[in-house]
Amino acid sequence: MNFDLKALLRPHIRELKPYTSARDEYSGKDGIFLDANENPFGSITTENFNRYPDPYQQALKERIATIKNVSPSRIFLGNGSDEPIDLLFRAFCNPAQDNVIILPPTYGMYGVSASINAIETISIPLTEDFQLQKEKVLEAVSEKSKILFICSPNNPSGNSLNPNEIEELIQKFPGIVVIDEAYVDFMSGESFVKKLEEYPNLVILQTFSKAWGLASLRLGMAFASEEIISVLNKIKPPYNISGLTQRTVLDALDNTDKMKRMVADILIQRDKLKKELESLDGVIKVFPSDANFLLVKVPNANKAYQDLIGRKVILRNRSNVLLCENCLRITIGTEEENKILIAELKNWLTENS
Ligand SMILES: *Cc1c(COP(=O)(O)O)cnc(C)c1O
């Protein structure tokens, strides 16, 4: 594939000399470390956090590399997925000049990050059944279009987008194509990570926030060409992943079995909850899901949402979102939580029919 990353980069980023940290200048392990103005005695906490963490998270990346079957040089780690999203804007999009293409209904951060960076978003809606309008996307492309954001499985609809159509867009879009695979561990199809070598314009986002159950630690992954990864490394805050997060996740990655068990449980609960919701009188539609949530259409979602809060069941109201009229997004809970949800929703539907 013919792709010139340098030409796509913003000129000042191309020329940028990055900050060099103490740990960039000397990365050896031996010696007395008097180069980073750290506290030599330790920390106020029982556990010590007095030393700056590895700015490139090498040990953690090596571990992730074996799990994901990619080279560590193709991995970027961010403070959540939000960080690589923002860095991609800063690397490729000139404020008040360029645009990005998003496919609503979709994850809100792409548009917010665009606004923060003064970048126009061009919205090409998905179809009624939440699939790509491939031709419309391609028609919208101009020389100002720098990034195309594709979320699959898609939030808030829950379904995966057709992988052949995604691939055609990767081939034809002249800029960076971001595939957000936050829900990859819950889907039946395959990740695009295995296509990385084929497509130098491809960036895949994954996260430890969902299947791994580590939302509070804030750790997101981006997989891309070595060239794109070096750009992200160049512009990131030097110590963007805390030592606590690096250590905790490195240890947790010995326990992939637990992640798989939790995912398997969530999938069982998803199927069960879907059937139960479909059997409720008044539920209009439960959309197919490849994720850990269900999009559900009810008669009056705004009222349902408010009334259910009164009953201590908190859902996400997506009624105001394009193509999601009267839809609630329901995260798959434990068996116990899902039972309570069903009971309360059933009551509400009876009282509001
Ligand atoms: C939850 C989610 C993420 C993850 O965000 P983090 O910042 O890594 O917690 C990314 N993309 C989508 C579509 C999501 O739904």
Side-chain angles (χ1 to χ4, degrees):
M1 193 173 156
N2 209 348
F3 179 72
D4 184 355
L5 187 78
K6 290 231 160 52
L8 200 65
L9 271 178
R10 294 169 69 192
H12 73 288
I13 299 290
R14 215 183 293 146
E15 309 305 329
L16 180 82
K17 260 190 80 64
Y19 175 79
T20 57
S21 67
R23 287 289 72 76
D24 285 324
E25 289 178 13
Y26 180 78
S27 58
K29 295 252 184 302
D30 285 341
I32 55 166
F33 285 83
L34 305 175
D35 61 349
N37 299 350
E38 295 151 336
N39 186 326
F41 296 108
S43 309
I44 59 163
T45 40
T46 334
E47 203 183 330
N48 276 337
F49 297 106
N50 55 321
R51 298 297 175 182
Y52 280 98
D54 176 359
Y56 300 107
Q57 313 95 25
Q58 316 224 34
L60 183 52
K61 281 180 185 169
E62 272 164 37
R63 192 74 189 84
I64 293 171
T66 50
I67 293 173
K68 299 289 178 182
N69 199 21
V70 291
S71 150
S73 58
R74 288 176 173 275
I75 303 175
F76 174 84
L77 298 178
N79 184 3
S81 307
D82 308 333
E83 187 172 27
I85 293 171
D86 178 66
L87 293 178
L88 288 166
F89 275 100
R90 293 206 257 164
F92 296 105
C93 303
N94 295 293
Q97 185 179 319
D98 291 331
N99 69 51
V100 296
I101 300 181
I102 67 168
L103 315 172
T106 194
Y107 187 47
M109 262 327 276
Y110 318 138
V112 171
S113 212
S115 299
I116 293 169
N117 288 287
I119 300 301
E120 185 194 353
T121 49
I122 297 185
S123 293
I124 308 296
L126 297 172
T127 60
E128 292 272 310
D129 56 352
F130 303 121
Q131 287 296 332
L132 289 165
Q133 297 202 279
K134 208 178 47 185
E135 301 309 326
K136 291 222 168 98
V137 172
L138 292 171
E139 279 164 26
V141 173
S142 73
E143 71 286 352
K144 294 179 178 177
S145 310
K146 299 298 165 74
I147 309 178
L148 167 62
F149 286 97
I150 301 176
C151 187
S152 180
N154 185 46
N155 180 4
S157 57
N159 63 302
S160 299
L161 307 187
N162 181 325
N164 298 322
E165 293 185 345
I166 294 178
E167 190 156 356
E168 200 180 323
L169 287 178
I170 303 170
Q171 288 163 353
K172 293 183 177 165
F173 186 77
I176 302 284
V177 177
V178 175
I179 304 183
D180 189 340
E181 295 186 348
Y183 299 98
V184 67
D185 303 287
F186 306 102
M187 78 178 191
S188 41
E190 282 192 79
S191 164
F192 267 87
V193 165
K194 65 177 194 310
K195 303 261 181 188
L196 269 183
E197 313 230 351
E198 255 172 273
Y199 300 116
N201 62 336
L202 178 58
V203 176
I204 294 152
L205 301 179
Q206 294 186 7
T207 179
F208 283 96
S209 298
K210 309 286 156 68
W212 298 87
L214 298 171
S216 176
L217 289 181
R218 309 306 303 129
L219 190 65
M221 298 166 263
F223 305 99
S225 71
E226 278 186 28
E227 226 183 339
I228 293 178
I229 298 299
S230 355
V231 171
L232 298 179
N233 279 333
K234 205 162 100 161
I235 65 178
K236 79 183 181 75
Y239 301 106
N240 61 327
I241 308 296
S242 81
L244 181 62
T245 297
Q246 292 188 43
R247 236 185 290 168
T248 311
V249 178
L250 187 60
D251 289 345
L253 289 180
D254 288 335
N255 208 353
T256 50
D257 284 353
K258 179 163 182 193
M259 183 277 260
K260 287 181 183 148
R261 280 199 304 276
M262 291 193 291
V263 167
D265 281 348
I266 289 169
L267 295 185
I268 290 169
Q269 293 304 322
R270 182 180 78 194
D271 290 349
K272 201 167 151 197
L273 186 60
K274 183 166 194 286
K275 289 200 186 86
E276 282 167 0
L277 287 166
E278 281 167 341
S279 75
L280 292 182
D281 269 342
V283 166
I284 299 164
K285 181 159 185 170
V286 184
F287 290 89
S289 174
D290 246 343
N292 66 339
F293 58 86
L294 292 166
L295 189 72
V296 181
K297 190 164 187 164
V298 295
N300 183 349
N302 287 329
K303 185 163 192 299
Y305 169 72
Q306 282 305 333
D307 292 351
L308 284 167
I309 287 178
R311 300 169 194 210
K312 297 201 158 48
V313 175
I314 323 301
L315 308 177
R316 195 83 196 266
N317 183 7
R318 299 283 78 185
S319 315
N320 310 327
V321 170
L322 189 76
L323 298 171
C324 296
E325 203 188 331
N326 278 319
C327 286
L328 299 169
R329 194 191 70 190
I330 305 179
T331 306
I332 311 301
T334 62
E335 185 160 26
E336 201 49 44
E337 290 172 332
N338 300 339
K339 267 189 195 144
I340 297 170
L341 160 75
I342 289 290
E344 294 296 350
L345 184 60
K346 190 174 179 179
N347 287 339
W348 185 87
L349 286 162
T350 316
E351 290 161 23
N352 288 273
S353 62

